[in-house]
Amino acid sequence: MSVPRARVVDLMKAQCKVFATTFNPERTRLGNKVLRQRLRGPAMAAYYPRKLVTIKDVKTEFGPELHTWDPKEEARFEYIEELKARGKNNPKKKSAPAAAAPVKGKKK
């Protein structure tokens, strides 16, 4: 003996009211499971430390009046010097303007 569908749907409606869930008799995907979850944004923002003032910010604020030393910048300069010593640095830029350079092409 089977129960009529209308009676099952009424039971589902009552069940959804009691347990505060979404009534979805067609069983379509609504994304309620995802929407009910806690938001991750505040937890992720709290995980990473807040950015403090850097040496670069102090340099831009006070300029040449204040002598500062940035270890990251110094390490970068040392690395560039090592590359130059091995001949692995950036190529030199052209010193002459483009108009002064001879035009290459077929000779007439």
Side-chain angles (χ1 to χ4, degrees):
M1 172 162 97
S2 83
V3 181
R5 175 152 171 76
R7 189 156 182 197
V8 173
V9 170
D10 290 338
L11 177 64
M12 285 173 55
K13 278 184 188 177
Q15 189 178 17
C16 289
K17 283 182 183 177
V18 170
F19 294 112
T21 58
T22 307
F23 177 66
N24 187 10
E26 291 86 30
R27 295 182 181 168
T28 56
R29 290 182 156 197
L30 302 177
N32 291 333
K33 179 180 174 184
V34 175
L35 293 173
R36 271 188 273 123
Q37 292 176 357
R38 280 185 25 218
L39 295 176
R40 293 183 183 156
M44 289 181 92
Y47 179 79
Y48 295 103
R50 293 181 184 229
K51 185 179 177 187
L52 300 175
V53 178
T54 61
I55 296 173
K56 199 174 199 179
D57 296 336
V58 172
K59 271 187 176 180
T60 57
E61 186 68 30
F62 294 105
E65 303 155 6
L66 183 67
H67 180 69
T68 56
W69 184 72
D70 189 3
K72 289 182 181 178
E73 190 75 10
E74 294 295 324
R76 188 178 76 87
F77 286 143
E78 287 176 16
Y79 177 71
I80 291 171
E81 289 300 320
E82 289 173 8
L83 287 177
K84 284 182 181 179
R86 290 187 292 160
K88 303 288 185 177
N89 57 335
N90 292 336
K92 303 288 184 204
K93 293 183 179 178
K94 289 186 177 180
S95 60
V103 178
K104 290 185 179 181
K106 281 188 172 181
K107 291 184 180 180
K108 293 184 181 180

